[in-house]
Amino acid sequence: MKPRFKTSYDDDINRFQGPWHRAQYLILIALAVAAPWVLSSYYIGELSSVLVWSLAGMGLMLLIGHTGQVSLGHAAFMAIGAFTHLALMLRGWPFVPALLVATVFSGLSGALLARPILRLSGIYLAIATLALGVLVEDLAIIAEPFTGGVRGLVAPPIEIFGFHIDRHGTPRAFYYLCLSVVVLVTLAYANLLRSPTGRAFMAVRDSEISAKALGVNVTRTKTLAFALSCAITGLAGALYAHLIQAINFESFLVIISIALLLQVIVGGLGSIHGAFFGAAVMVVLPQAIAVSRDALADVGIRVAAFPGLDMAVFALIIVILMILEPRGLYGVWLRVRTWLQLFPLYRKGMFRRARSYLKTERLK
Amino acid sequence: MDTLQLLISGIANGCIYGLIALGFVLIYKASESVNFAQGDLMILGAFLASGLINTNQADLPFLLGLAIAGGSLAVFAYLLDALLLRRVFGQPQLTVVVLTIAIGFILRFIIGAIWGHDPVSLDSPFAGQRLTLGELSVPMIDAVIIGVTVSLVVLLWLFFARTRLGLAMQASSQNQMAAYYMGIPVKRVVSLVWAMAGVMAAIAGVMFAAKGAVEPAAGLVFGIKAFAAAVIGGLGSLPGALAGGLLIGIIEPFAGRHLPSHVAQVAPYALMLLVLILRPSGLFAQMRQKKV
């Protein structure tokens, strides 16, 4: 590993640590741009799905990973974004303004809900958001003129700058649409994290009391984080509506919220990479299981009889990760990278966790 | 009279919610972690018991089947804590939440793989019988559920107030470090609390399956509802959990009768949100804001 000497104060907050770091990301983007020209349209669809889930994951990551506030009901905000977006588009709005309004509206509703909810902490916050997630399922049916009731809404094709984009008709164009949104949001997210606001988020996550002592307005910071998180998730919801073409109350069940949480955890809390890793696992795993199921069927073992197998395998991965590497796949990646960089000097205990005790929230 | 009938059926349902909520609260008090797999433990208990008791299955006597199901769930929950949850001890609460959610998913899958996904109901000796008191006539099973819950709560209260183990549990729930210094084997005590929660889940599951029918997927919804009960009562309070369960059990049938169906479905959660916003620590609060 080449030692890195800091020669200016900017070195601490620069987005890239040197030209090689920047080149890596440029290569990644080039690969992502080139991908649809070598893949079949089915896999382009799967890639778009990874991008949309990464976007939703980034929304939740901002809240859980960087601000330390747990939400078990984030599919609710996906639903708000998706329904707003489609309702506007079906009333004749063009794609871009509808998408922007849906994003802002999800963010605003998040901010409104945040005020009463964020007074709670830890587990109580998780429960309150869980209740929100359950409530939205039924609200989506009750608000019929807006959401189409039980039948739901069908996504119209997208017209943007003269291009006609359709999930199935032109999968490549839809993929590029998702890719550009994801790249923009990722850049904004990475920039946010090195701004004072982002630092305040992390300060609140690590210790509310010390953040307060350093002059951070904790309530305002949490509300802002919640609003931004909901806005990103709402944006993901709007794209998700185009991805699955038709949405109704069943598209955003509370189980989706939980899956989204598990996805972020698998990826690794507190890193933007984690959102992408998690989404990749989420989309690739069912495919991998389907493939291995066919392979096993050839040998004579039939696993097809077990519905819910993907979720169970996913849960098993979570259990193993939680016990061995709570920082998720990003943590595993960090270990591998360090091992490679330090070869042959890597020591076993380098990432060992410090012992910790139960920090009680009770006084009595 | 009709209202009274509805009330009694609601109370019987509420007792089941209350028992699961008691399981939540026991674990929360002992280790300040929330067991999101409690609903699935209950379903596991229900299926285990129906596999042992139902005439077309193992056909054991009712009480024997109940005892075996309760015992095996106790062992299962003990091992769950000893082997998995103890390893993430002291890490942020989210870790345990996620771990138990994942365990719940795995349990649901296993239950579905073993017993299938069709609703199953339990053959109980009280099926079809009715208890008649003057003009009032309630299903026997409702009366049994209420009776069992009341006696279970009294037993629990005696256990916590009178026995050495109960006192040790109280001590380690209030201050783990101090309890450890006093020579209480805190880790084992926490695992025993999990075992108790497992037994509660089994009893609740058996009562639920005897009253209606259970299916593997019901664990999540039931868990969340019982969770709402625990939160309404305040997560740290045992009588609160029971009261919260009763409240939800009573509200559900009345909301179902007097409100449009979608509104009725969300009534328990709306109530929970309201309680959380107005009295964040529950109606029977034990938590206080931590100050520096």
Side-chain angles (χ1 to χ4, degrees), chain A residues 24-57:
Chain A
Q24 282 173 329
Y25 282 94
L26 285 178
I27 293 171
L28 184 67
I29 289 185
L31 281 179
V33 170
W37 299 95
V38 283
L39 294 175
S40 69
S41 66
Y42 174 73
Y43 285 104
I44 298 176
E46 292 296 296
L47 265 188
S48 316
S49 170
V50 171
L51 288 176
V52 171
W53 283 114
S54 313
L55 195 59

Side-chain angles (χ1 to χ4, degrees), chain A residues 325 329-343 346 351:
Chain A
E325 178 55 275
L329 289 180
Y330 183 67
V332 175
W333 159 239
L334 272 188
R335 282 189 193 201
V336 172
R337 197 180 64 183
T338 317
W339 187 85
L340 288 175
Q341 281 175 342
L342 291 182
F343 186 81
Y346 183 79
F351 284 92

Side-chain angles (χ1 to χ4, degrees), chain A residues 119 127 138 356 360-362, chain B residues 32 90 173 227 265 277 290:
Chain A
R119 288 198 322 193
I127 301 158
D138 290 283
S356 55
T360 182
E361 288 183 2
R362 283 174 300 192
Chain B
E32 221 154 286
S173 110
F227 206 51
Q265 265 179 27
I277 289 169
K290 202 173 175 179

Side-chain angles (χ1 to χ4, degrees), chain B residues 179-194:
Chain B
Y180 189 72
Y181 288 154
M182 294 297 115
I184 295 171
V186 174
K187 285 180 178 174
R188 203 185 313 148
V189 164
V190 171
S191 296
L192 282 174
V193 169
W194 271 77

Side-chain angles (χ1 to χ4, degrees), chain B residues 213-276:
Chain B
V214 285
E215 49 178 341
L220 184 68
V221 179
F222 225 84
I224 295 179
K225 228 177 244 176
F227 206 51
V231 171
I232 288 173
L235 259 182
S237 147
L238 289 174
L242 199 65
L246 285 178
L247 201 59
I248 285 196
I250 294 171
I251 280 178
E252 260 188 335
F254 282 98
R257 158 105 28 128
H258 301 292
L259 295 171
S261 66
H262 294 303
V263 183
Q265 265 179 27
V266 300
Y269 309 108
L271 180 71
M272 172 170 101
L273 263 185
L274 209 65
V275 169
L276 274 179

